[in-house]
Amino acid sequence: MRWLSEFRPAVLAVAPKLLALLTAVAGVMLMASGATPSDPMRFLWLVQWAPLILIEISHFLSSILGLVLVLLAFGLSRRLDAAWMAAAVVLPLAAALALFKGFNWEESVALLAIQGLLLPCHEAFPRTAALSRMEITPGWLASTVAAVLGAGLLGYWSFRHADYANVSWAPMMADADVERAIRAFAGVAIVLLAVGVWRLLATPATPRVVGDADPDFSRVRAILASADCAEPASNLALLGDKRFIFSESGKSFLMFGVRGRSWVALGAPVGRRDERLELLWRFREMADAHAARPGIYGVGPEDLPDLVELGFSIQKTGESAAVPLDSFSLEGRRRETLRRNWRKTGEGGGEFEVIPPGPSPELMAELQSISDQWLGHHAGGEKGFSMGGFTPAYVAEFPIALVRVEGRIVAFATLWLAPKRGSFSMDLMRYSNDAPKNVMDFLFVELLQWGREQGYEAFEFGMAPLAGLDDRPLAPIMSRVGNLLFERGEEIYNFRGVRRYKDKYDPVWQPRYLAAPHKWAIPILLADVGLLSSGGVAGLTRRSPKPADRPADTPKAAA
């Protein structure tokens, strides 16, 4: 029997779809049976052994259970454990009712056969979401309505063309059958209407944007502070422009933005590792229930198995840089320029300091002034979604690294910290018009040294868009187009400059991906990510000042 165990993984892989199909067929069979005339001879034999009231109840409930099986088939296709358990109960119950409604033993055998296939496949239904959280899609609901209407039309045709001419008592029985069929059809229609109303009311609409005045914002802060798995960029959840899906335990969340029909999750779920896949499934199902186009942006290699599990197509969008702090040093010829820039700013009176979250109103006003000066030299204005923007409430959430010259702040950066001191990064990076030329090199070097002293393992420099994409003849078309933009698109964005600037620190480069249900959706989602981050078309079309108006040192490449 060894070959059976070898085929078991393949059987479990196809079981959800196959059992969902068989269960849906069984449900349609029960609804059609309830809407059509009973076999006269079987019915006469049955009324001798069973009370008429039991027959009437069985006929009515059998049709209702047919509808329930059609709806459960959706949950089975989504691999819900609760749908498996419900189907395991409903199938034998429906098989028993089939005997009592008209001694339809063929239906009972078919239902029990499906039950026999269902029971050994419990492993194929690992998702633990409750049935009340099942997002019945509009398409599935429409198919169920069509099945109910089809059963009703089949019953109407059957009774119009039934031949009872050779049986004297048949007209009386036919009238009773019609009454039973009408009651069953009406019951099914009422239950289906109830399900539709429940879906309209109970299925969550697109979650609202959660801002700092919302009670859910406290939940987001608490999860970020204690998450088992979170990247520094997970702190973008505090920007106030995201929507959230929370896990049932309340210890994990997934954040996403909405633009038109695109729902774009920013990164992997944050919180408990064992809840990540469930949140990804709920995100996809919720988007599907609202006819939206789901995408997940900025995920790393460790997230790819979950995305493959969702059936998503994956496209590399660039690479992110992380500097291991234990190996970082200013020694050697390779770091000569960086060492000289750092030392020159320090000798010119540069001082570094990290202050805790929640600066005073006076200090916040000073930072706002520096930010306004910086924005005056950069195109597009404040960003959002995948990049932070300067708002006092958001800035106050984080520690702030300051660079002072002669006691006056000339540059600052807000710091993203991750739980358990695995890595940290910076978000906003702003400097004043009179800042020293190489102030950003000074700030970065001081930050790396500060992080090492605080016990962090790495400093994340953020992403270099379109870096690392292949231009081979057999590479995906999106990769080849991205490589062309990286090599020739300096007028659009400083792609190569970003990569060169971060390479000065010898980082470890890690690929980043965008995932979507279909390849064709990836360009649309990429465009929507850009629009979400830039504040729409208006943000993208804001022109940058003339190069002569900018400070001599423009560390935009590090942004």
Side-chain angles (χ1 to χ4, degrees), residues 493-538:
Y493 182 82
N494 192 18
F495 295 108
R496 299 176 69 181
V498 169
R499 176 71 186 236
R500 281 196 304 268
Y501 189 92
K502 297 178 182 182
D503 260 337
K504 292 195 306 183
Y505 297 87
D506 292 331
V508 175
W509 291 96
Q510 186 180 57
R512 291 286 167 170
Y513 303 94
L514 172 68
H518 308 286
K519 274 285 186 182
W520 59 262
I522 288 176
I524 302 173
L525 289 167
L526 278 173
D528 284 330
V529 168
L531 292 169
L532 282 168
S533 300
S534 300
V537 177

Side-chain angles (χ1 to χ4, degrees), residues 208-221 237-241 244 393-394 397:
R208 66 191 182 284
V209 175
V210 174
D212 56 1
D214 194 294
D216 282 341
F217 221 57
S218 298
R219 298 174 64 190
V220 172
R221 289 193 188 96
L238 301 176
L239 190 56
D241 63 349
F244 295 89
Y394 177 66
E397 296 279 354

